[in-house]
Amino acid sequence: MKKYTLLLALISILFYSCAKKGENSQSTPKKIERIIISPEYLLQSKSSEVYIGVRYFKDYSDKDNITLSLNGQTGTQLSEITAQLEGTSLLFKFNAVNQTGDFKIRCVVKNDQNSLDQEQTLRLVNDFSINSVWNSLDKNYSSSFSSYADRLKTTGYTLKPISSTSTNVQFGAYFENYAYSNLYVSKSFIAGLAGIYTLLYNDLGLQQIKINNGSPDVDQNFSTAKFYADVTANYGNYVSQSNTGSGKVTVFKNGIYTLTVTETPALVSTIITKS
């Protein structure tokens, strides 16, 4: 009888302990907050590997299960970094999709209590020619991202904001060699036109692509001579050139597109317009 009573007491203690443990775990829910999806490029070439950054926020330190998919393909996680106030940042890589069109990016973050998912659309194009870029960056699409991923040479990426207003979208630091090339992976967008891009719109659609190509008096790695050589190699000789009070304006043609390069001691920039 004593053994039976002792057994009941042990079972009661064990049941009470498990119940308290369950109550404690339920009293501290793990909250997953917003997910930010940041591609390396607003447009992606169908024949190139795709890099996409993910950042999310949470109020606990336990590890989560994170997946990112593109067109049904699961990405390979390259890095994961958690920093105070910056949340958890991950970088994923995908093989070339080899298709053009709009494809769904889907991120799912799971812990042992709940999950959060986020979807975004990434547009894949044949190439980064002027015509392809111009026809693919409508205002609705280019405004759909709030940031892009600037890949670091070491590991991970820096999340860079995309500025968007009712009339323009500014994005990218697409340089093959510039002041911070020791930190970031070199990259290019439209051939021969490295720089920071601003898309200008009106009610009829895209009106200009403006590129700040480089600042000769700030960036010692920027060569004006090399810039003109690259533009000429891709778009032929200039069709006109004129001097201004502070520099010169050089005009190139590429089919129905006009490239107007303005050079001053402080800045070299290009404006692309369509005839």
Side-chain angles (χ1 to χ4, degrees), residues 33-258:
E33 297 186 309
R34 63 193 176 99
I35 298 171
I36 303 171
I37 296 174
S38 307
E40 185 174 35
Y41 291 93
L42 274 187
L43 298 174
Q44 178 63 48
S45 170
K46 70 173 186 178
S47 58
S48 300
E49 293 177 332
V50 180
Y51 292 88
I52 299 175
V54 168
R55 178 174 290 183
Y56 73 99
F57 301 86
K58 60 184 180 179
D59 60 359
Y60 55 92
S61 59
D62 295 346
K63 295 280 288 183
D64 302 306
N65 180 28
I66 303 107
T67 59
L68 188 72
S69 61
L70 172 64
N71 191 32
Q73 176 190 159
T74 300
T76 300
Q77 183 181 319
L78 301 180
S79 66
E80 179 176 350
I81 299 172
T82 299
Q84 191 175 15
L85 302 179
E86 293 185 358
T88 300
S89 299
L90 305 97
L91 183 65
F92 291 84
K93 182 178 79 170
F94 296 85
N95 295 326
V97 176
N98 293 316
Q99 299 179 60
T100 61
D102 290 353
F103 298 95
K104 194 68 69 180
I105 307 169
R106 185 168 188 260
C107 179
V108 180
V109 180
K110 290 183 179 180
N111 59 32
D112 57 357
Q113 293 180 1
N114 51 58
S115 66
L116 182 67
D117 66 274
Q118 176 74 30
E119 290 188 346
Q120 202 92 21
T121 297
L122 184 64
R123 185 164 293 168
L124 278 81
V125 295
N126 283 314
D127 52 44
F128 291 151
S129 65
I130 293 175
N131 191 61
S132 180
V133 170
W134 187 283
N135 291 325
S136 301
L137 286 176
D138 59 88
K139 184 65 165 60
N140 286 339
Y141 175 76
S142 62
S143 301
S144 64
F145 290 98
S146 62
S147 56
Y148 68 97
D150 205 353
R151 277 193 296 140
L152 295 164
K153 283 188 173 180
T154 51
T155 183
Y157 68 98
T158 298
L159 186 149
K160 299 285 184 70
I162 293 175
S163 173
S164 181
T165 70
S166 61
T167 58
N168 66 70
V169 175
Q170 184 180 85
F171 65 95
Y174 301 126
F175 295 93
E176 294 180 353
N177 183 29
Y178 69 121
Y180 302 102
S181 59
N182 59 322
L183 294 177
Y184 296 102
V185 174
S186 296
K187 59 187 72 71
S188 61
F189 193 35
I190 297 177
L193 296 173
I196 298 170
Y197 282 68
T198 302
L199 310 173
L200 288 94
Y201 299 89
N202 64 17
D203 292 340
L204 300 176
L206 183 60
Q207 298 300 301
Q208 291 183 5
I209 300 176
K210 181 178 180 179
I211 309 118
N212 287 346
N213 305 112
S215 302
D217 60 350
V218 175
D219 185 359
Q220 296 180 350
N221 291 313
F222 180 77
S223 167
T224 303
K226 183 181 184 303
F227 167 77
Y228 283 111
D230 289 344
V231 174
T232 301
N234 284 280
Y235 307 107
N237 295 326
Y238 64 81
V239 296
S240 69
Q241 189 173 75
S242 59
N243 293 321
T244 65
S246 58
K248 64 181 178 181
V249 175
T250 306
V251 178
F252 297 83
K253 293 287 290 184
N254 180 243
I256 60 174
Y257 299 97
T258 300

